[in-house]
Amino acid sequence: MTDSGELTALRDELISAIDGAGDEAALEALRVSALGKKGAISERMKGLGKLDGEARKAAGQALNKLKDEVGSAIAARQADFKAAALDERLATEFVDVTLPARPEPAGTIHPVSQVWEEVVQIFADLGFSVAEGPHIETDWYNFGALNIPDDHPARQEHDTFYLNPKEDGTRMVLRTHTSPVQIRTMETTQPPIRIIAPGRTFRSDSDQTHTPMFHQVEGLVLDESTHLGHLKWCLEEFCKAFFELDEVKMRFRASHFPFTEPSMEVDIGCSWVDGQVKIGVGDDWLEILGSGMVHPNVIRAGGLDPEKIQGFAFGVGIDRIAMLKYGIPDLRAFFESDLRWLRHYGFSSLQRPNLAGGLS
Ligand code: PHE
């Protein structure tokens, strides 16, 4: 039963069956029929015990050789199947990386972020750097250092959000304007100072033109000789660049802020056509910012000497100028996260504002 002629026939039969196996299941069945517990080769191995001496040795060697040969043939065929399966996957899962990106709309840049970035670009071009301060402020930074004493009516006007009192009785506030960054900057920077501070601000107020959280950008310029003419020039340059106009009509109106003296509110000329506002021309006015020469008490509170140092400050409502520039009627919609609104008023994330390529 283990003579070499018979083994050769078994070998030829197994090898051709393996070569002809159509799939992995057929190959597995062949493996079981040859090498499994009751397989043709295994059965013959069991029969070796009945032989004696030399014959057993020779038959054993022949069977082992056959077993190796059949095992290798099965492994080779298995590798063929794996390679074929991979080829098929590569063919069906082919990705053409040269195709254009999917046309589905991606996210858009919120008008506040867009305008924030536009403002930063304009002032960067004028030599300003960007400063920051915390949203939760002490009474001193938000009011006291800005020449707003305890009993000052401005405190009521600011509709301040207070945090619960601390153990010592003092209360932190959500900053009502970005002006505290003026003080923080003076404390850490030696003049000449030229900064803007864009950021979130908070007042307990809500209607079509007010939201409890809104955005301002503060500006501060301090050195030994900066005067009101610089303030006017700087804000005119800003308005022309921001509204992308060669000329803008502006009006500097005497006003009052405790932290500036003199103080001016700035209006921009506009007209209304079919309920839409047109900026820069016309006989109507829109208030866009507060400004003035920094009060000596504020300079002193910031640790500088008002006998030597002077300059100007301003505060612009980012949301407000965004509404004007992009014709957005209701401020509250800015913060409602309505996808239709965001798609309509949002900006492309691939076209960031810069002065060379155009702001918007
Ligand atoms: N902080 C003022 C406000 O919130 C704006 C302002 C800033 C005015 C700097 C003058 C100077 O209304």
Side-chain angles (χ1 to χ4, degrees):
M1 81 185 220
T2 51
D3 66 282
S4 63
E6 198 257 296
L7 268 193
T8 307
L10 177 61
R11 175 201 167 277
D12 292 348
E13 184 194 326
L14 283 173
I15 296 295
S16 79
I18 289 165
D19 286 345
D23 55 26
E24 283 195 89
L27 189 64
E28 176 61 10
L30 273 170
R31 190 192 63 78
V32 172
S33 78
L35 304 172
K37 258 193 194 143
K38 296 208 160 110
I41 296 175
S42 313
E43 288 294 342
R44 282 170 174 76
M45 294 272 196
K46 284 179 208 156
L48 286 177
K50 295 186 192 118
L51 301 175
D52 46 25
E54 284 301 307
R56 188 198 309 164
K57 198 176 161 195
Q61 277 174 354
L63 273 174
N64 271 325
K65 186 167 160 267
L66 176 61
K67 187 178 154 194
D68 288 347
E69 203 181 338
V70 169
S72 311
I74 290 175
R77 192 82 184 112
Q78 237 155 15
D80 287 347
F81 285 136
K82 288 232 157 56
L86 182 62
D87 283 347
E88 193 184 308
R89 271 189 65 192
L90 286 174
T92 53
E93 295 174 16
F94 171 72
V95 176
D96 183 353
V97 291
T98 65
L99 285 175
R102 271 188 215 143
E104 290 151 35
T108 58
I109 301 293
H110 193 284
V112 170
S113 306
Q114 168 79 16
V115 166
W116 176 314
E117 196 54 40
E118 289 178 22
V119 171
V120 168
Q121 290 295 326
I122 293 167
F123 281 105
D125 191 54
L126 293 171
F128 285 68
S129 48
V130 174
E132 278 182 329
H135 295 157
I136 301 174
E137 270 296 8
T138 62
D139 190 272
W140 167 252
Y141 281 111
N142 195 77
F143 294 121
L146 291 161
N147 199 33
I148 311 177
D150 281 345
D151 52 357
H152 197 283
R155 292 206 178 216
Q156 275 80 58
E157 285 160 27
H158 276 226
D159 297 314
T160 315
F161 286 115
Y162 286 97
L163 276 69
N164 289 333
K166 294 198 267 194
E167 283 196 353
D168 63 6
T170 60
R171 290 185 299 180
M172 301 293 281
V173 301
L174 294 187
R175 66 178 183 189
T176 58
H177 50 180
T178 42
S179 300
V181 185
Q182 289 189 32
I183 306 296
R184 292 185 174 276
T185 304
M186 287 182 227
E187 285 177 343
T188 55
T189 320
Q190 280 305 307
I193 291 173
R194 271 197 295 270
I195 59 106
I196 54 164
R200 295 188 166 184
T201 48
F202 307 86
R203 288 183 204 175
S204 177
D205 205 352
S206 183
D207 60 34
Q208 196 175 340
T209 51
H210 297 89
T211 51
M213 188 281 295
F214 59 106
H215 300 83
Q216 287 191 333
V217 56
E218 193 78 8
L220 177 67
V221 175
L222 287 177
D223 56 25
E224 288 171 9
S225 58
T226 290
H227 54 68
L228 207 110
H230 295 125
L231 182 165
K232 275 192 78 176
W233 177 85
C234 179
L235 292 177
E236 275 169 14
E237 286 303 303
F238 167 69
C239 285
K240 281 194 276 186
F242 179 74
F243 290 108
E244 301 177 65
L245 296 167
D246 293 333
E247 284 306 322
V248 280
K249 232 170 103 178
M250 289 174 80
R251 177 168 80 174
F252 289 76
R253 198 162 28 78
S255 181
H256 176 78
F257 300 105
F259 30 92
T260 46
E261 181 59 36
S263 302
M264 284 157 299
E265 279 174 305
V266 177
D267 300 337
I268 188 158
C270 68
S271 52
W272 295 88
V273 186
D274 299 333
Q276 283 276 29
V277 63
K278 198 167 176 322
I279 300 293
V281 288
D283 295 328
D284 287 326
W285 297 99
L286 277 166
E287 181 195 321
I288 55 163
L289 62 89
S291 67
M293 300 305 292
V294 182
H295 196 290
N297 288 349
V298 174
I299 295 180
R300 207 172 288 117
L304 301 175
D305 180 359
E307 299 293 325
K308 297 201 185 104
I309 296 300
Q310 61 181 44
F312 64 84
F314 57 86
V316 190
I318 294 184
D319 321 85
R320 197 182 175 94
I321 60 173
M323 290 170 78
L324 292 177
K325 181 167 178 179
Y326 294 113
I328 304 170
D330 191 329
L331 180 61
R332 287 168 299 194
F334 273 67
F335 309 115
E336 279 168 0
S337 304
D338 182 330
L339 272 179
R340 290 163 304 176
W341 187 92
L342 289 167
R343 285 197 190 109
H344 182 76
Y345 288 110
F347 292 82
S348 161
S349 55
L350 299 175
Q351 283 167 339
R352 305 304 298 129
N354 69 76
L355 290 177
L359 285 178
S360 59

